Amino acid sequence: MKNQKKEIKQQFNEFIYEITYKNLWLTSGFIVLVVGWFAWSDINIRHNMQAFYTRLLTLFLALSLMVFQLLTGNKHKPLKHKLYNLLIASALIMMYAKYLVYLPYEGTAYTVSGIILVIFLISLELKTDFLNTALIYFLPTLVLLIIVFFFARLPESKVVNFSNLFPMLILGFLANRIQYSLRFKLFESNFFLELEKQTTSQLYDESLELNHQLHQQNEEIEVQKQAIEEKNLSLERLNEAKDKFLTIVSHDLKTPFNALVGYSHLLQTEFDELGVNKQKEYIAVIHNNINRTHRMLDNLLLWAETQIQQYRLKLKPDNIYNIAEDTMGFLQHTAKLKQIDLLNLVDKNLRVNADKNIIETVLRNLLSNAIKFSHKNGVIEVKARELPVINDKHLIQITVSDSGVGMSPEKQARLFSIKEKVSTKGTENESGTGLGLLICKELVERHGGEISVESIENNGSRFSFTFRTDNASEV
């Protein structure tokens, strides 16, 4: 409860800061205009420089506050609140000072009336705690009393006139505290009402959620038989995926790690005896095996993720040309080593609503394969086109073509089968895992499309994949 009261007080103070901030320009500007007018009239009409000097503090504070607000904008609200209260207090000091200026003259009643008016203005505008309010009200008054009654000799008429100030001063202070208290109680009531509203809303949301859960449970009971059958199929698929995964891990990770261990051991034990060329050769072997292992692990992890149904589409508008350009840039170094040209023939204005990660992964695998099975000085092209709408399906087709070694129809038939590992050495004896195309198939189908291949031995291959560009549900 104590913490709650503290929170209410803190929020109330922020509320007061906000009110002060909203009225800052209006009040400061009004004070500048009014006080500025009286300052001008003191010089040009009343010809009283002492009265003019009494205006300077208030005028300076009002102008300073306006400049500070102009420079800081929406910042330092607590400080502006303090400066604002200081400005209001300076208005009272100005009236007292004006009273002292005109004290020697006859007819000071209007000056005391002006002080009383300012007191009531302060009672309406002063928004601070009890102690600060008391100081602002009574400290200047105390100083004025000391000056008037101890250092000035007043006629009885002026003493009576001046004494009218005190009841109005007390009434103004009481009016301020009553207003402040009422404002706080109203804010506190609104705070508790908002809490009650949030609690009611939360209970309502929980009841809706409970009804929704009950509805889901009823639906699950109705389709229980179908769910069991689908789970059996899913378990069978998971078992196949697990067997494939373990086979690849146990077999294909062993070779690069053996090379890493062997060559790194040679570098460690015989580094000084080896020539620079041998050192570079061993380091190149280690580097190539690390890259190969890294790519293989990326493929394995992503493929495993698709198998256990954890990947969710992230559909966002994007530019196909830029995606192809970025992917080709990633593989540019590998292509350059074999003097292969990568051509991006995609329309630069072709935009789609798709999962960029899926497109990049599929395109990267297909381009890597194309580079792997292309001869030196070969050419690889990437094209894309929008297919005619069929059954409300909006499809984009991306094609990767090469003029490499191609493949037989028998091998094409086994490319996308999980039960068979299809891996062939590249034109420069590059090795692979046979997993890349399986990943491509999984991701493309998850994006509502299909992947296909057209190839002729010794005459290159053409891989094409489609994906939906509308907000279709995940497949």
Side-chain angles (χ1 to χ4, degrees), residues 358-418:
I358 284 183
I359 298 174
E360 285 182 338
T361 302
V362 175
L363 196 54
R364 186 168 59 250
N365 274 281
L366 295 182
L367 283 170
S368 295
N369 282 346
I371 295 171
K372 176 181 173 182
F373 295 110
S374 290
H375 300 288
K376 281 191 174 183
N377 301 314
V379 176
I380 297 173
E381 297 178 346
V382 178
K383 299 179 181 179
R385 66 189 181 101
E386 190 171 0
L387 298 180
V389 178
I390 301 176
N391 296 329
D392 294 328
K393 288 185 178 182
H394 299 262
L395 298 174
I396 290 287
Q397 183 186 67
I398 297 179
T399 301
V400 177
S401 304
D402 66 71
S403 56
V405 298
M407 67 187 83
S408 65
E410 293 77 19
K411 190 171 183 179
Q412 294 178 47
R414 296 185 290 117
L415 276 180
F416 304 106
S417 173
I418 191 173

Side-chain angles (χ1 to χ4, degrees), residues 10 38 55 90 174 262 387 468:
Q10 182 180 354
F38 280 111
R55 320 285 186 187
S90 73
L174 292 176
L387 298 180
R468 294 187 67 165

Side-chain angles (χ1 to χ4, degrees), residues 105-374:
Y105 304 100
E106 294 296 329
T108 57
Y110 77 96
T111 304
V112 175
S113 300
I115 295 174
I116 293 172
L117 177 62
V118 172
I119 289 172
F120 269 98
L121 287 174
I122 292 175
S123 70
L124 296 176
E125 279 299 318
L126 201 58
K127 304 177 185 68
T128 184
D129 57 25
F130 182 88
L131 179 61
N132 287 328
T133 304
L135 287 173
I136 291 172
Y137 265 86
F138 297 114
L139 185 59
T141 306
L142 180 61
V143 173
L144 179 67
L145 285 174
I146 293 173
I147 294 173
V148 168
F149 288 102
F150 289 92
F151 296 97
R153 295 180 179 180
L154 295 179
E156 184 178 348
S157 59
K158 291 189 177 182
V159 172
V160 172
N161 187 18
F162 188 77
S163 67
N164 293 330
L165 172 67
F166 302 117
M168 301 309 297
L169 182 70
I170 295 172
L171 286 175
F173 178 77
L174 292 176
N176 175 273
R177 298 325 299 164
I178 291 171
Q179 177 185 240
Y180 188 87
S181 178
L182 289 175
R183 193 188 294 269
F184 177 75
K185 288 185 180 299
L186 179 62
F187 184 87
E188 187 178 37
S189 299
N190 289 335
F191 179 86
F192 286 117
L193 283 174
E194 186 63 27
L195 283 181
E196 191 67 27
K197 180 181 176 182
Q198 291 177 2
T199 303
T200 304
S201 177
Q202 184 178 357
L203 290 173
Y204 177 72
D205 291 339
E206 288 176 355
S207 64
L208 288 179
E209 180 64 23
L210 181 59
N211 288 334
H212 179 67
Q213 291 177 0
L214 290 173
H215 180 69
Q216 282 186 328
Q217 289 176 0
N218 289 334
E219 288 183 347
E220 289 173 1
I221 292 173
E222 292 176 1
V223 297
Q224 188 174 16
K225 181 180 178 180
Q226 180 181 353
I228 292 174
E229 291 176 353
E230 290 177 355
K231 286 181 179 179
N232 288 335
L233 290 174
S234 179
L235 287 173
E236 183 178 345
R237 184 182 179 189
L238 282 174
N239 285 331
E240 289 182 355
K242 178 197 68 174
D243 293 341
K244 181 70 174 177
F245 184 82
L246 292 176
T247 299
I248 294 173
V249 169
S250 62
H251 182 271
D252 288 343
L253 285 182
K254 186 181 297 183
T255 300
F257 272 107
N258 285 340
L260 288 174
V261 172
Y263 281 98
S264 62
H265 177 73
L266 287 173
L267 285 173
Q268 182 183 24
T269 58
E270 302 178 12
F271 186 83
D272 294 331
E273 288 78 13
L274 295 172
V276 175
N277 292 334
K278 276 295 182 182
Q279 291 173 0
K280 289 182 177 181
E281 178 184 344
Y282 291 175
I283 291 172
V285 171
I286 292 174
H287 177 73
N288 291 334
N289 276 277
I290 288 174
N291 282 337
R292 178 193 170 200
T293 306
H294 180 262
R295 288 194 299 270
M296 184 166 55
L297 286 175
D298 278 346
N299 282 341
L300 287 172
L301 291 174
L302 183 56
W303 179 76
E305 187 180 3
T306 63
Q307 294 301 304
I308 59 177
Q309 304 294 311
Q310 285 187 349
Y311 192 88
R312 295 293 179 268
L313 291 180
K314 304 173 185 68
L315 300 178
K316 292 182 180 179
D318 218 317
N319 184 289
I320 291 294
Y321 176 86
N322 291 339
I323 293 175
E325 195 71 14
D326 292 343
T327 307
M328 293 167 74
F330 179 78
L331 296 168
Q332 192 67 47
H333 178 70
T334 306
K336 188 176 181 181
L337 292 177
K338 297 181 71 172
Q339 300 176 2
I340 294 174
D341 291 330
L342 301 180
L343 302 182
N344 186 358
L345 304 181
V346 179
D347 184 350
K348 293 185 178 180
N349 298 317
L350 182 57
R351 296 186 61 83
V352 294
N353 191 41
D355 189 315
K356 180 181 179 181
N357 187 42
I358 284 183
I359 298 174
E360 285 182 338
T361 302
V362 175
L363 196 54
R364 186 168 59 250
N365 274 281
L366 295 182
L367 283 170
S368 295
N369 282 346
I371 295 171
K372 176 181 173 182
F373 295 110
S374 290

